[in-house]
Amino acid sequence: MPELPDLLYIRKHLARVLTGRSIAAVEVKQPVLVRNMLDVPLGEALRGLSVREVEQHGPFLRVGLGGEIDIVTNLMLAGRLQHQKKGEKAEGFLCVAWMLDDGSALRLCDERKMAKLYVCRRADTDAIPRYGTQGVDILSPAFTREKFRTLVAGNSRRQVRVMINDHTVLSAIGNAYADEILFEARIHPKTFSARLSEEETDRLFVAIGSVMTWGTKKVEEAARPIHVKVREHLKVRNRRGEPCPRCGTTIRREGVRGHDTFFCPSCQPASRKLFIDWRTAGEKPPDPD
Ligand SMILES: [Zn+2]
């Protein structure tokens, strides 16, 4: 799944190559991915429209076209975008392609066919599932230490790994960077938010910013084509059995509410915070999410 650093890189690249270009034709190979929210067939609606801007919104990329029309993609688990210049090799399992007026094409590929592509009027973007319900944008000035403390307090009965991974709370941290953030903050992923001290909450807040900045820089430095996922820099994610880069302890993998999480049991120790007696703690047990 492309995460925020990947999406920022893709956005920047697409803004550079697509802005000002117009759509010559649209090819839909897998209609199952496409939600056309206009009352006109896709090809007809998009032909001749030019790209005004490319924006990232949570896990979504929005390509704003002339005529107040938007193309919004959610790449989900396995979707990839490729900007294919004339003469370049096509990559992946093609689902949808837009041919542009300079002979290049933007291709959406996904062998799992789980990615989503919405075409709608700009005023209707909030009707896209999960688009309008994104939580606070972690890159925006609205994401302050105070705001984060409030969010932690409001999610006290959830495990911290689940909370920071919830896009309606924070927009948007995926599985890979959620693990990296908790590693940086030295917090066990199963810690309940209610058990975070003020100091740990602040450490987590700082880690969200620093890890995302670091990840974004690493993806930029790798300078790969946008359909290639850059993951080599990650310190704990998918590194079960490898030594922790900080202390050498073997990295572990555990399930947290259906998601794999990777962590260092020494740097992120399981403290008494994981074992709460909900009958005597004076709090309701955690939500079954
Ligand atoms: Zn360690």
Side-chain angles (χ1 to χ4, degrees), residues 31 180 182 205 288:
E180 297 297 315
L182 290 172
F205 171 77

Side-chain angles (χ1 to χ4, degrees), residues 183 244 246-247 249 264 266-267:
F183 175 71
C244 165
R246 200 189 275 139
C247 75
T249 305
C264 169
S266 297
C267 295

